[in-house]
Amino acid sequence: APGFVRFAWYYFVAAHRTSVPFGSHSCRQTLDVYSVKPFSAQDESRELLGAPVLIFFTGGAWIIGYKMWGALLARALTAAGIVVVIPDMR
């Protein structure tokens, strides 16, 4: 399968990814939280407590960046037990 198909499958289907809004001025004011297991803000599980967290800002000059660009990085790091947070910008 072409690379973009495998990437889209991971981003939209396979990843344990939760999109969390952090503002109301734009539909892009969200961040993706990738974890080893499914995560929700109401999750009572303590399994993620104490897990290392990496925040990854994509793009450049703080004016462009799309959170999907970091999905493959998140795939590699969550396999190592690291929670990855990628905010969308602008």
Side-chain angles (χ1 to χ4, degrees), residues 2-3 5 19 21 23 25 29-31 36 38 41 43-46 53-54 56 58 62 69 72 74-75 83-84 87:
V5 172
S19 189
H25 296 288
Q29 288 185 319
T30 61
L31 54 87
V36 178
D43 193 0
E44 297 296 323
S45 171
R46 301 288 179 191
V53 176
L54 178 107
F56 179 68
T58 62
W62 297 102
W69 295 348
L72 295 180
R75 181 178 185 178
V83 175
V84 180

Side-chain angles (χ1 to χ4, degrees), residues 38-78:
F39 167 82
S40 72
Q42 295 80 25
D43 193 0
E44 297 296 323
S45 171
R46 301 288 179 191
E47 283 185 40
L48 295 178
L49 216 68
V53 176
L54 178 107
I55 302 172
F56 179 68
F57 294 93
T58 62
W62 297 102
I63 58 172
I64 188 170
Y66 185 58
K67 61 187 179 175
M68 187 186 282
W69 295 348
L72 295 180
L73 172 71
R75 181 178 185 178
L77 294 175
T78 55

